[in-house]
Amino acid sequence: MNDAAPAHTPAPRRARLRAPELVGKGGWLNTGGKDLTLAALRGRIVILDFWTFCCINCLHVLDELRELEEKHRDTVVIIGVHSPKFVHEAEHAAVVDAVERYEVHHPVLDDPELATWKQYAVRAWPTLVVIDPEGYIVAQHAGEGHAHAIARLVDELEAEHEAKGTLRRGDGPYVAPEPVATDLRFPGKALLLPSGNLLVSDSTRHQLVELGPDGESVVRRIGSGERGFGPDAFSEPQGLALLPDGSVVVADTVNHALRRFDPATGAVETVAGTGRQWWQGSPTSGPALEVDLSSPWDVAWWRGKVWIAMAGVHQLWTWDPETGTVAVSAGTTSEGLHDGPAPEAWLAQPSGLAAAGDRLWIADSENSALRYVEPEGESGDGYAVRTAVGTGLFDFGHRDGDAAQALLQHPLGVTALPDGSVAVCDTYNHALRRFDPATGQVSTLATDLREPSDAVLVGEDIVVVESARHRLTRLRLPEEAVRVDAVAHRTQRAATEVAPGTLRLDVVFQAPTGQKLDTRYGPSTRLLVSSTPPELLVGGEGTGTDLFRELALNPEVTEGVLHVSAMAASCDDDPANEYPACHVHQQDWGVPVTVTADGATRLPLVLAGMDA
């Protein structure tokens, strides 16, 4: 029995732990060819951002850090430590692409073997580690929503080390790469317009681009090309869907909004979202312009509504143009692969949609899965989520054959084909795959496509968005599949060894300085625990309000994944302020575990603070 205090009890003020040096076999990006060391950065506040470019939460944190990065440019050095989940993410060229694609304006260490990840005992993407000017770790934060806490800590560290004489101001080590001239830059999705032209979301340039039927000639650009949320601006747009009235709905991903574009007039208007990111506890239905969204990645017109792949919260939402409302239609916000009635299903960063009769196909990227929604129940107004290909978060590869054993790797796009089969843009395998529901077989249609993210049918051809080649590629739909040697992978993350019997789970959370847990409306913390396979746990699963839990492990199951979702809300601790500012901190962990006799009896997961 572990009699430690609850994990959210405040810990002593800033423990001091020397930060390990930064090592990564892939080397450094955005430094002008120089290697960086923590020793050489002494005197600066260093923030390590452990990220991987497949992870939507990591992309959210990149955006959260932009303001802090600009405000404290002379005292703070942010370093991205790229720690891959998928095999493709361990390729150096792919990391180079991702740094440009997501406009990362700070140094990045490419750590394909997770060497620095292991040195810092990181357990989740994203994780932020703050190092003071004397080289000591002073805070660790997992997940999203910590920018305000880190900004306050930076202010404290600046004042403290200015007074001690240990703060060194000046220009940082970031060196911008040379810009490259191409008509498209990391395009995301494409759409065939009634005119025969193609509309493409030019994501990194924050524009839509209309191309001629040849897929190359630029007809016009829509949007200023600068990040923004006005009538002439987008922020990393992705999905496109044609509505019956001829207008186009755009998933304006980083603006957390849906926009409507009128090809006839060129006008752009917002139809859903507020520009703010959705957080746990926010409304999940209501007037579309009053409800927050979270990284909508793709859209599709199906059964009289626009369906939204809400990648940021692992759900599908719908927007009804007639009523002007949005609502959750599938998923619980838990990340994983679980089929069943739509409100109970689990998804993992759905990123591609395609309507085909009574099915809405889903590219469920983090599960490396092809899934679908179909009507369920006698009335036909209920829905269920099913899986065609894929087994979960940590299994991926390139394997054809029977769907039950076939493997994909982080697919982002899906396209319905005329014969009833489905083409899948198998993004991290650089391939176009095909699933035939009639035979249950998976095959490969084309390879050597650099990060394909979408495909659209044009006559007898299929036009593929080759995102990392910055172009559209036209292919004749082949009658025969390409032969590919089968490859299977599991994530490189080492499993945590735990002892059989009782496992104490502690989610460590310390409210930022000047804040306290917000208990005005009941408990301010939430903990949800489950496992894959479900038989791994014989006790301790489910939802509760304490950030600690005694888990009972099944002695007959020797390995699996613990799924842990934690949330804590904190508010400014100022009795004189009637309306204090409040903040939500949240993170989902998928922790691979192996049960061994000499394994650990306690599993600490840091949400914010330091594990004493």
Side-chain angles (χ1 to χ4, degrees):
M1 175 67 70
N2 188 331
D3 294 321
H8 55 275
T9 300
R13 177 77 167 89
R14 290 215 297 270
R16 286 167 65 83
L17 176 68
R18 178 66 72 181
E21 195 49 82
L22 307 177
V23 293
K25 192 174 181 180
W28 289 90
L29 304 175
N30 285 354
T31 63
K34 296 180 180 178
D35 290 351
L36 302 185
T37 66
L38 289 180
L41 292 172
R42 199 66 52 82
R44 310 298 289 274
I45 300 164
V46 177
I47 300 173
L48 304 182
D49 176 16
F50 288 87
W51 69 299
T52 188
F53 64 77
C54 72
C55 164
I56 191 67
N57 311 93
C58 298
L59 303 186
H60 289 168
V61 167
L62 283 176
D63 290 317
E64 288 179 7
L65 292 175
R66 293 187 198 278
E67 182 179 348
L68 182 144
E69 187 170 28
E70 185 60 36
K71 181 179 178 182
H72 297 274
R73 190 167 291 280
D74 66 332
T75 58
V76 171
V77 176
I78 296 177
I79 295 176
V81 182
H82 189 268
S83 313
K85 170 186 173 181
F86 290 100
V87 168
H88 169 58
E89 293 175 304
E91 297 176 14
H92 183 69
V95 181
V96 172
D97 284 345
V99 167
E100 180 190 350
R101 181 195 296 266
Y102 297 116
E103 297 183 304
V104 180
H105 293 164
H106 51 249
V108 173
L109 174 65
D110 180 11
D111 183 18
E113 297 177 348
L114 304 182
T116 295
W117 165 288
K118 294 170 186 172
Q119 286 274 14
Y120 282 79
V122 175
R123 294 184 183 273
W125 297 279
T127 291
L128 298 168
V129 176
V130 182
I131 301 170
D132 74 10
E134 295 179 289
Y136 291 95
I137 297 172
V138 292
Q140 182 172 326
H141 303 264
E144 305 176 48
H146 302 293
H148 68 284
I150 292 176
R152 177 168 292 203
L153 176 57
V154 166
D155 288 338
E156 293 176 8
L157 290 171
E158 284 180 344
E160 176 185 333
H161 289 274
E162 190 95 76
K164 290 174 65 176
T166 50
L167 185 70
R168 178 166 55 89
R169 295 180 181 270
D171 293 335
Y174 170 67
V175 178
E178 289 292 323
V180 182
T182 54
D183 287 333
L184 301 173
R185 205 69 193 160
F186 298 105
K189 305 288 186 181
L191 175 70
L192 180 65
L193 294 171
S195 66
N197 288 347
L198 290 155
L199 188 66
V200 183
S201 55
D202 197 16
S203 303
T204 297
R205 294 220 176 103
H206 316 296
Q207 291 180 316
L208 308 181
V209 179
E210 185 175 344
L211 301 175
D214 61 1
E216 297 180 7
S217 307
V218 176
V219 176
R220 60 174 164 169
R221 294 182 180 276
I222 301 97
S224 66
E226 300 292 331
R227 287 182 187 271
F229 193 34
D232 190 35
F234 300 93
S235 189
E236 297 183 31
Q238 286 283 344
L240 307 165
L242 188 67
L243 296 187
D245 66 3
S247 65
V248 176
V249 174
V250 182
D252 196 3
T253 304
V254 178
N255 277 327
H256 309 293
L258 298 189
R259 319 292 292 283
R260 179 154 52 188
F261 165 62
D262 185 342
T265 66
V268 176
E269 63 174 332
T270 303
V271 295
T274 63
R276 297 184 300 271
Q277 183 184 339
W278 184 93
W279 290 98
Q280 289 285 355
S282 302
T284 55
S285 63
L289 292 171
E290 299 175 14
V291 178
D292 300 339
L293 309 182
S294 183
S295 297
W297 206 274
D298 202 7
V299 281
W301 177 256
W302 188 56
R303 294 175 67 87
K305 296 180 181 179
V306 171
W307 287 67
I308 310 164
M310 202 72 78
V313 285
H314 317 299
Q315 292 181 312
L316 303 182
W317 289 37
T318 49
W319 170 58
D320 187 336
E322 285 195 15
T323 63
T325 57
V326 292
V328 174
S329 294
T332 66
T333 76
S334 292
E335 183 180 15
L337 193 151
H338 177 69
D339 288 345
E344 302 171 14
W346 289 18
L347 300 156
Q349 214 170 299
S351 301
L353 299 174
D358 286 338
R359 285 186 177 179
L360 178 70
W361 292 97
I362 310 163
D364 200 22
S365 63
E366 280 294 285
N367 277 323
S368 296
L370 173 65
R371 306 178 74 186
Y372 59 92
V373 179
E374 63 180 1
E376 183 180 61
E378 295 182 6
S379 63
D381 57 359
Y383 294 96
V385 175
R386 315 284 187 209
T387 299
V389 183
T391 58
L393 289 167
F394 299 110
D395 295 297
F396 52 90
H398 192 146
R399 182 193 288 153
D400 289 330
D402 186 76
Q405 54 84 53
L407 293 172
L408 308 169
Q409 187 181 177
H410 197 81
L412 291 178
V414 60
T415 306
L417 300 180
D419 64 358
S421 66
V422 184
V424 180
C425 285
D426 193 6
T427 309
Y428 287 3
N429 281 326
H430 311 299
L432 188 68
R433 311 285 294 282
R434 177 177 178 265
F435 169 67
D436 186 349
T439 64
Q441 294 294 299
V442 175
S443 56
T444 298
L445 298 177
T447 58
D448 192 32
L449 297 166
R450 189 70 184 170
E451 290 192 21
S453 55
D454 196 21
V456 58
L457 287 172
V458 180
E460 295 183 357
D461 296 338
I462 188 164
V463 175
V464 179
V465 179
E466 278 198 272
S467 189
R469 282 201 178 110
H470 320 292
R471 71 186 189 191
L472 304 187
T473 298
R474 185 182 295 263
L475 304 173
R476 179 56 55 94
L477 272 174
E479 295 181 4
E480 294 186 5
V482 177
R483 184 174 180 83
V484 177
D485 292 334
V487 179
H489 300 290
R490 295 212 84 198
T491 180
Q492 290 190 54
R493 288 178 61 190
T496 299
E497 294 186 352
V498 297
T502 300
L503 176 67
R504 165 78 177 214
L505 171 66
D506 282 327
V507 173
V508 178
F509 178 75
Q510 293 140 24
T513 304
Q515 294 185 24
K516 64 179 180 179
L517 290 175
D518 178 16
T519 56
R520 291 173 298 166
Y521 308 108
S524 61
T525 55
R526 187 192 73 155
L527 180 64
L528 172 65
V529 180
S530 62
S531 66
T532 302
E535 296 78 22
L536 176 64
L537 289 178
V538 293
E541 67 273 26
T543 304
T545 58
D546 289 322
L547 291 182
F548 60 95
R549 189 81 58 84
E550 300 285 349
L551 306 180
L553 301 175
N554 186 342
E556 298 180 4
V557 179
T558 58
E559 64 178 11
V561 178
L562 292 175
H563 302 283
V564 180
S565 178
M567 185 274 290
S570 63
C571 288
D572 291 347
D573 189 9
D574 182 0
N577 187 351
E578 186 177 356
Y579 303 103
C582 296
H583 309 275
V584 176
H585 318 255
Q586 66 181 51
Q587 171 65 0
D588 296 332
W589 292 267
V591 183
V593 296
T594 301
V595 181
T596 59
D598 55 353
T601 58
R602 176 177 177 263
L603 176 62
L605 300 175
V606 176
L607 179 60
M610 299 284 285
D611 180 26

